[in-house]
PDB file of all heavy atoms in Angstrom:
ATOM      1  N   ALA A1603     310.003   8.650 141.141  1.00  0.00           N
ATOM      2  CA  ALA A1603     310.549   8.828 142.548  1.00  0.00           C
ATOM      3  C   ALA A1603     309.507   8.186 143.551  1.00  0.00           C
ATOM      4  O   ALA A1603     309.944   7.352 144.336  1.00  0.00           O
ATOM      5  CB  ALA A1603     310.800  10.252 142.852  1.00  0.00           C
ATOM      6  N   LEU A1604     308.308   8.553 143.415  1.00  0.00           N
ATOM      7  CA  LEU A1604     307.311   8.023 144.277  1.00  0.00           C
ATOM      8  C   LEU A1604     307.079   6.534 144.083  1.00  0.00           C
ATOM      9  O   LEU A1604     306.893   5.795 145.021  1.00  0.00           O
ATOM     10  CB  LEU A1604     306.017   8.840 144.134  1.00  0.00           C
ATOM     11  CG  LEU A1604     305.994  10.221 144.651  1.00  0.00           C
ATOM     12  CD1 LEU A1604     304.598  10.843 144.335  1.00  0.00           C
ATOM     13  CD2 LEU A1604     306.205  10.222 146.171  1.00  0.00           C
ATOM     14  N   GLY A1605     307.077   6.092 142.799  1.00  0.00           N
ATOM     15  CA  GLY A1605     306.893   4.673 142.496  1.00  0.00           C
ATOM     16  C   GLY A1605     308.019   3.893 143.075  1.00  0.00           C
ATOM     17  O   GLY A1605     307.815   2.825 143.697  1.00  0.00           O
ATOM     18  N   GLY A1606     309.255   4.385 142.943  1.00  0.00           N
ATOM     19  CA  GLY A1606     310.506   3.655 143.471  1.00  0.00           C
ATOM     20  C   GLY A1606     310.371   3.594 145.027  1.00  0.00           C
ATOM     21  O   GLY A1606     310.719   2.545 145.599  1.00  0.00           O
ATOM     22  N   LEU A1607     309.972   4.686 145.662  1.00  0.00           N
ATOM     23  CA  LEU A1607     309.820   4.664 147.120  1.00  0.00           C
ATOM     24  C   LEU A1607     308.769   3.699 147.586  1.00  0.00           C
ATOM     25  O   LEU A1607     308.996   3.053 148.599  1.00  0.00           O
ATOM     26  CB  LEU A1607     309.509   6.157 147.563  1.00  0.00           C
ATOM     27  CG  LEU A1607     310.731   7.147 147.569  1.00  0.00           C
ATOM     28  CD1 LEU A1607     310.224   8.512 147.964  1.00  0.00           C
ATOM     29  CD2 LEU A1607     311.783   6.700 148.670  1.00  0.00           C
ATOM     30  N   GLN A1608     307.749   3.651 146.924  1.00  0.00           N
ATOM     31  CA  GLN A1608     306.626   2.690 147.251  1.00  0.00           C
ATOM     32  C   GLN A1608     307.059   1.311 147.224  1.00  0.00           C
ATOM     33  O   GLN A1608     306.839   0.513 148.091  1.00  0.00           O
ATOM     34  CB  GLN A1608     305.383   3.030 146.309  1.00  0.00           C
ATOM     35  CG  GLN A1608     304.658   4.253 146.719  1.00  0.00           C
ATOM     36  CD  GLN A1608     303.537   4.536 145.737  1.00  0.00           C
ATOM     37  OE1 GLN A1608     303.551   3.990 144.604  1.00  0.00           O
ATOM     38  NE2 GLN A1608     302.657   5.544 146.031  1.00  0.00           N
ATOM     39  N   ILE A1609     307.753   0.894 146.054  1.00  0.00           N
ATOM     40  CA  ILE A1609     308.177  -0.410 145.859  1.00  0.00           C
ATOM     41  C   ILE A1609     309.289  -0.808 146.907  1.00  0.00           C
ATOM     42  O   ILE A1609     309.274  -1.823 147.566  1.00  0.00           O
ATOM     43  CB  ILE A1609     308.772  -0.610 144.483  1.00  0.00           C
ATOM     44  CG1 ILE A1609     307.650  -0.461 143.393  1.00  0.00           C
ATOM     45  CG2 ILE A1609     309.475  -1.925 144.308  1.00  0.00           C
ATOM     46  CD1 ILE A1609     308.134  -0.406 142.034  1.00  0.00           C
ATOM     47  N   PHE A1610     310.148   0.161 147.194  1.00  0.00           N
ATOM     48  CA  PHE A1610     311.221  -0.030 148.199  1.00  0.00           C
ATOM     49  C   PHE A1610     310.587  -0.325 149.544  1.00  0.00           C
ATOM     50  O   PHE A1610     310.932  -1.181 150.319  1.00  0.00           O
ATOM     51  CB  PHE A1610     312.133   1.124 148.222  1.00  0.00           C
ATOM     52  CG  PHE A1610     313.124   1.100 149.383  1.00  0.00           C
ATOM     53  CD1 PHE A1610     314.240   0.196 149.279  1.00  0.00           C
ATOM     54  CD2 PHE A1610     313.070   2.009 150.447  1.00  0.00           C
ATOM     55  CE1 PHE A1610     315.166   0.178 150.295  1.00  0.00           C
ATOM     56  CE2 PHE A1610     313.917   1.987 151.434  1.00  0.00           C
ATOM     57  CZ  PHE A1610     315.019   1.055 151.383  1.00  0.00           C
ATOM     58  N   SER A1611     309.560   0.535 149.898  1.00  0.00           N
ATOM     59  CA  SER A1611     308.854   0.404 151.219  1.00  0.00           C
ATOM     60  C   SER A1611     308.114  -0.920 151.258  1.00  0.00           C
ATOM     61  O   SER A1611     308.221  -1.531 152.405  1.00  0.00           O
ATOM     62  CB  SER A1611     307.928   1.588 151.377  1.00  0.00           C
ATOM     63  OG  SER A1611     308.588   2.811 151.313  1.00  0.00           O
ATOM     64  N   ILE A1612     307.437  -1.300 150.244  1.00  0.00           N
ATOM     65  CA  ILE A1612     306.752  -2.543 150.301  1.00  0.00           C
ATOM     66  C   ILE A1612     307.713  -3.756 150.417  1.00  0.00           C
ATOM     67  O   ILE A1612     307.461  -4.679 151.139  1.00  0.00           O
ATOM     68  CB  ILE A1612     305.927  -2.714 148.967  1.00  0.00           C
ATOM     69  CG1 ILE A1612     304.742  -1.825 148.970  1.00  0.00           C
ATOM     70  CG2 ILE A1612     305.358  -4.083 148.826  1.00  0.00           C
ATOM     71  CD1 ILE A1612     304.052  -1.644 147.674  1.00  0.00           C
ATOM     72  N   GLY A1613     308.945  -3.588 149.812  1.00  0.00           N
ATOM     73  CA  GLY A1613     309.960  -4.682 149.987  1.00  0.00           C
ATOM     74  C   GLY A1613     310.419  -4.760 151.373  1.00  0.00           C
ATOM     75  O   GLY A1613     310.564  -5.880 151.930  1.00  0.00           O
ATOM     76  N   ILE A1614     310.680  -3.669 152.063  1.00  0.00           N
ATOM     77  CA  ILE A1614     311.083  -3.744 153.472  1.00  0.00           C
ATOM     78  C   ILE A1614     310.058  -4.345 154.329  1.00  0.00           C
ATOM     79  O   ILE A1614     310.332  -5.238 155.196  1.00  0.00           O
ATOM     80  CB  ILE A1614     311.444  -2.347 153.990  1.00  0.00           C
ATOM     81  CG1 ILE A1614     312.688  -1.816 153.225  1.00  0.00           C
ATOM     82  CG2 ILE A1614     311.643  -2.474 155.493  1.00  0.00           C
ATOM     83  CD1 ILE A1614     313.121  -0.462 153.728  1.00  0.00           C
ATOM     84  N   ILE A1615     308.752  -3.854 154.154  1.00  0.00           N
ATOM     85  CA  ILE A1615     307.716  -4.442 154.959  1.00  0.00           C
ATOM     86  C   ILE A1615     307.534  -6.003 154.588  1.00  0.00           C
ATOM     87  O   ILE A1615     307.353  -6.819 155.487  1.00  0.00           O
ATOM     88  CB  ILE A1615     306.358  -3.746 154.611  1.00  0.00           C
ATOM     89  CG1 ILE A1615     306.511  -2.311 155.107  1.00  0.00           C
ATOM     90  CG2 ILE A1615     305.138  -4.449 155.286  1.00  0.00           C
ATOM     91  CD1 ILE A1615     305.318  -1.426 154.690  1.00  0.00           C
ATOM     92  N   GLY A1616     307.671  -6.354 153.373  1.00  0.00           N
ATOM     93  CA  GLY A1616     307.622  -7.735 153.026  1.00  0.00           C
ATOM     94  C   GLY A1616     308.678  -8.613 153.622  1.00  0.00           C
ATOM     95  O   GLY A1616     308.430  -9.749 154.023  1.00  0.00           O
ATOM     96  N   GLU A1617     309.879  -8.013 153.720  1.00  0.00           N
ATOM     97  CA  GLU A1617     310.961  -8.695 154.437  1.00  0.00           C
ATOM     98  C   GLU A1617     310.592  -9.087 155.956  1.00  0.00           C
ATOM     99  O   GLU A1617     310.828 -10.201 156.327  1.00  0.00           O
ATOM    100  CB  GLU A1617     312.259  -7.953 154.440  1.00  0.00           C
ATOM    101  CG  GLU A1617     313.483  -8.592 154.974  1.00  0.00           C
ATOM    102  CD  GLU A1617     313.950  -9.700 154.137  1.00  0.00           C
ATOM    103  OE1 GLU A1617     313.695  -9.729 152.930  1.00  0.00           O
ATOM    104  OE2 GLU A1617     314.663 -10.587 154.656  1.00  0.00           O
ATOM    105  N   TYR A1618     310.036  -8.135 156.579  1.00  0.00           N
ATOM    106  CA  TYR A1618     309.584  -8.346 157.961  1.00  0.00           C
ATOM    107  C   TYR A1618     308.494  -9.433 158.006  1.00  0.00           C
ATOM    108  O   TYR A1618     308.457 -10.263 158.918  1.00  0.00           O
ATOM    109  CB  TYR A1618     309.179  -7.107 158.588  1.00  0.00           C
ATOM    110  CG  TYR A1618     310.380  -6.327 159.090  1.00  0.00           C
ATOM    111  CD1 TYR A1618     310.855  -5.262 158.361  1.00  0.00           C
ATOM    112  CD2 TYR A1618     310.937  -6.505 160.401  1.00  0.00           C
ATOM    113  CE1 TYR A1618     312.004  -4.527 158.841  1.00  0.00           C
ATOM    114  CE2 TYR A1618     312.007  -5.831 160.879  1.00  0.00           C
ATOM    115  CZ  TYR A1618     312.501  -4.766 160.034  1.00  0.00           C
ATOM    116  OH  TYR A1618     313.608  -4.073 160.559  1.00  0.00           O
ATOM    117  N   ILE A1619     307.527  -9.293 157.113  1.00  0.00           N
ATOM    118  CA  ILE A1619     306.386 -10.246 157.083  1.00  0.00           C
ATOM    119  C   ILE A1619     307.003 -11.656 156.781  1.00  0.00           C
ATOM    120  O   ILE A1619     306.507 -12.662 157.410  1.00  0.00           O
ATOM    121  CB  ILE A1619     305.367  -9.892 156.023  1.00  0.00           C
ATOM    122  CG1 ILE A1619     304.692  -8.549 156.376  1.00  0.00           C
ATOM    123  CG2 ILE A1619     304.279 -10.981 155.779  1.00  0.00           C
ATOM    124  CD1 ILE A1619     303.770  -7.952 155.383  1.00  0.00           C
ATOM    125  N   GLY A1620     307.953 -11.730 155.907  1.00  0.00           N
ATOM    126  CA  GLY A1620     308.524 -13.030 155.590  1.00  0.00           C
ATOM    127  C   GLY A1620     309.179 -13.624 156.840  1.00  0.00           C
ATOM    128  O   GLY A1620     309.119 -14.838 157.040  1.00  0.00           O
ATOM    129  N   LYS A1621     309.928 -12.813 157.629  1.00  0.00           N
ATOM    130  CA  LYS A1621     310.487 -13.309 158.846  1.00  0.00           C
ATOM    131  C   LYS A1621     309.446 -13.805 159.825  1.00  0.00           C
ATOM    132  O   LYS A1621     309.627 -14.797 160.556  1.00  0.00           O
ATOM    133  CB  LYS A1621     311.424 -12.242 159.396  1.00  0.00           C
ATOM    134  CG  LYS A1621     312.757 -12.200 158.677  1.00  0.00           C
ATOM    135  CD  LYS A1621     313.724 -11.188 159.331  1.00  0.00           C
ATOM    136  CE  LYS A1621     315.162 -11.457 158.763  1.00  0.00           C
ATOM    137  NZ  LYS A1621     315.237 -11.648 157.405  1.00  0.00           N
ATOM    138  N   ILE A1622     308.383 -13.002 159.955  1.00  0.00           N
ATOM    139  CA  ILE A1622     307.270 -13.412 160.870  1.00  0.00           C
ATOM    140  C   ILE A1622     306.735 -14.762 160.417  1.00  0.00           C
ATOM    141  O   ILE A1622     306.476 -15.692 161.223  1.00  0.00           O
ATOM    142  CB  ILE A1622     306.154 -12.376 160.844  1.00  0.00           C
ATOM    143  CG1 ILE A1622     306.629 -11.091 161.467  1.00  0.00           C
ATOM    144  CG2 ILE A1622     304.896 -12.909 161.699  1.00  0.00           C
ATOM    145  CD1 ILE A1622     305.676  -9.938 161.294  1.00  0.00           C
ATOM    146  N   TYR A1623     306.593 -15.018 159.131  1.00  0.00           N
ATOM    147  CA  TYR A1623     306.110 -16.204 158.565  1.00  0.00           C
ATOM    148  C   TYR A1623     306.974 -17.431 158.936  1.00  0.00           C
ATOM    149  O   TYR A1623     306.580 -18.513 159.311  1.00  0.00           O
ATOM    150  CB  TYR A1623     305.984 -16.138 157.027  1.00  0.00           C
ATOM    151  CG  TYR A1623     305.679 -17.320 156.250  1.00  0.00           C
ATOM    152  CD1 TYR A1623     304.426 -17.933 156.362  1.00  0.00           C
ATOM    153  CD2 TYR A1623     306.587 -17.963 155.446  1.00  0.00           C
ATOM    154  CE1 TYR A1623     304.180 -19.080 155.578  1.00  0.00           C
ATOM    155  CE2 TYR A1623     306.363 -19.067 154.754  1.00  0.00           C
ATOM    156  CZ  TYR A1623     305.099 -19.738 154.836  1.00  0.00           C
ATOM    157  OH  TYR A1623     304.768 -20.782 154.138  1.00  0.00           O
ATOM    158  N   LEU A1624     308.291 -17.166 158.806  1.00  0.00           N
ATOM    159  CA  LEU A1624     309.284 -18.241 159.099  1.00  0.00           C
ATOM    160  C   LEU A1624     309.303 -18.522 160.543  1.00  0.00           C
ATOM    161  O   LEU A1624     309.422 -19.750 160.980  1.00  0.00           O
ATOM    162  CB  LEU A1624     310.662 -17.850 158.664  1.00  0.00           C
ATOM    163  CG  LEU A1624     310.939 -17.866 157.171  1.00  0.00           C
ATOM    164  CD1 LEU A1624     312.311 -17.224 156.739  1.00  0.00           C
ATOM    165  CD2 LEU A1624     310.774 -19.197 156.527  1.00  0.00           C
ATOM    166  N   GLU A1625     309.264 -17.454 161.357  1.00  0.00           N
ATOM    167  CA  GLU A1625     309.234 -17.640 162.873  1.00  0.00           C
ATOM    168  C   GLU A1625     308.016 -18.455 163.358  1.00  0.00           C
ATOM    169  O   GLU A1625     308.054 -19.218 164.259  1.00  0.00           O
ATOM    170  CB  GLU A1625     309.357 -16.370 163.637  1.00  0.00           C
ATOM    171  CG  GLU A1625     310.623 -15.570 163.295  1.00  0.00           C
ATOM    172  CD  GLU A1625     311.876 -16.198 164.019  1.00  0.00           C
ATOM    173  OE1 GLU A1625     311.696 -17.018 164.941  1.00  0.00           O
ATOM    174  OE2 GLU A1625     313.035 -15.812 163.748  1.00  0.00           O
ATOM    175  N   SER A1626     306.811 -18.131 162.707  1.00  0.00           N
ATOM    176  CA  SER A1626     305.642 -18.733 163.101  1.00  0.00           C
ATOM    177  C   SER A1626     305.508 -20.229 162.958  1.00  0.00           C
ATOM    178  O   SER A1626     304.778 -20.947 163.578  1.00  0.00           O
ATOM    179  CB  SER A1626     304.408 -18.034 162.413  1.00  0.00           C
ATOM    180  OG  SER A1626     304.463 -18.345 161.072  1.00  0.00           O
ATOM    181  N   LYS A1627     306.367 -20.724 161.984  1.00  0.00           N
ATOM    182  CA  LYS A1627     306.308 -22.204 161.742  1.00  0.00           C
ATOM    183  C   LYS A1627     307.095 -22.957 162.826  1.00  0.00           C
ATOM    184  O   LYS A1627     306.801 -24.161 162.977  1.00  0.00           O
ATOM    185  CB  LYS A1627     307.058 -22.474 160.334  1.00  0.00           C
ATOM    186  CG  LYS A1627     306.311 -21.971 159.147  1.00  0.00           C
ATOM    187  CD  LYS A1627     307.162 -22.201 157.889  1.00  0.00           C
ATOM    188  CE  LYS A1627     306.289 -21.859 156.671  1.00  0.00           C
ATOM    189  NZ  LYS A1627     305.146 -22.731 156.435  1.00  0.00           N
TER     190      LYS A1627
END
Side-chain angles (χ1 to χ4, degrees):
L1604 289 174
L1607 284 172
Q1608 287 173 344
I1609 294 172
F1610 174 71
S1611 301
I1612 292 170
I1614 292 179
I1615 294 171
E1617 184 71 22
Y1618 279 95
I1619 292 173
K1621 280 183 164 46
I1622 294 170
Y1623 172 71
L1624 291 174
E1625 296 289 347
S1626 67
K1627 289 177 176 292

